Amino acid sequence: MQRWIAPLVLGLLIAPAVYGEDVPWLNEVNTPPQSLGTAADKASADGASWKQQREQIRTKWNDFLGAYHFADLPLQLETLKEEKLDDCTRLLIRYQVEPGRMVRAYLLIPNETSDKPLPAIVAFHGTSATTFNKLVGLEGEPERHMGLRLAKRGFIVICPENFLWEQNSYTASTAAALKPHPGSKGMAVMLADGMRAVDVLLARPDVDAKRIGAYGHSLGAKETLYLTAFDDRIRAAVASEGGVEIGFSNWDAIWYLSDAVHEKDFSLTHHDLLRLIAGRPFLVLGGESGRGCADGERSWPTLLAGHEIWQTHYHPPIRLGLLNHGQGHAIPWEAGEKTIEWLEVYVGGHPARE
C-alpha cells in the first residue's frame, strides 16, 4: 500500500492564493447565526506551528483511513464513447486507478476553443442506480445536470463512477475494493479515486493545473469534503447535502468510515477536515429538514472550526460557509446557479496574485 501526504502543502501554507473578486453574496453564507457568535479570535500561532499541527492532523486521519494513492501508475486511459453536444463533447472514458482496477468516468469538454488552459472540476454523483447519468445530462431533471451545467459555463468536468457499483451490492463492492488494502476504510478508496480523477485532469494540456475545483451532492458531497481536505490541488469546492459532521449522516456505513466511529477511543471529528480546508473557498449546501437531509444550521459549529484557522492564518475575508436553501435533500435550480457562480469565481477566475 502506498501511503501519501497530499501535494502542495507547503505552497498552500506559505503563499495561499489571493482572489481577485468575491461572490456578491459571500457575507450571507459565511456569517453564522447570532446565537453561535463568530469564530474566536485566538492568539495567532506562528506559521511553523500551524504547519506542524496541520501535518499531525493529516497523519492521524491518514492512519485511520489507511489512505493510499498510486500517483505514478500509468493511467492506461481509453475512450469508450464520444458524443458531440451543442455546448460540449461528452466522452465516456476508463482509466487505471490502482494496479488491475479500472474506473469509468464521463469527461465533458467545452466546444468553445481557447488558447489558454481551462479551469476544471471533479464532479461526484449521488446515490443512484444509474450513478453519473444525471450529472452529465443523460437522465433526470435539469437541476441535477450539474456536470453538464458546469461544462456549459466553460469548465472541463470529470465525473468518476463511485466504486460502490462495481459489484452487485454496496457491501460486496466495498469488500472487493478493500481486499488489496487490509485495514483501510471505504472512504480511503473514494479519496484515492478522487485524487486519481485529479491526475486524469492534470494529464490534459488543456487543463489549468492551478484552477481545479470539486463539486458533489449527497454521496458525492462526502467525496468532495475528503478530497478537498486531503488534496491541496483542489482550489475551491462545493459540497451539497453530504453531512459535514460524522453524526449528520450514515458515515458509519462500512463503505464510508465503518462502525469504528462508535468505538470509545475514537476521537477524530470533521472539525479537523474543515481546518485542513481553511484557506481555500468551501461552500456547504444545506436543505435544513426533510427526508435524508444532512446539512443545515447544525453544520455551523463544524464550519466555525475552519473559520478559526482561516481567521488566524490566511488572508481575509473568510470564504467558508453555508448556503441553507431549506428545501430538503435536493438541488434547487437557484442553489445550483450559486454553486456554479462560486466555482466560477473561486476556481474559474484568475487570482489577483499567487
Side-chain angles (χ1 to χ4, degrees), residues 15-37:
V18 177
Y19 298 84
E21 62 177 304
D22 282 300
V23 293
W25 37 271
L26 179 62
N27 286 341
E28 300 172 26
V29 298
N30 72 356
T31 304
Q34 289 185 351
S35 60
L36 288 177

Side-chain angles (χ1 to χ4, degrees), residues 7 20 36 100 116 118 120 136 224 241 267 270 290 309-310 312 327 330 348:
L36 288 177
K116 295 181 179 180
L118 299 175
V136 300
T224 298
E241 272 289 297
S267 60
H270 283 171
I309 295 299
W310 198 312
T312 304
Q327 297 185 49

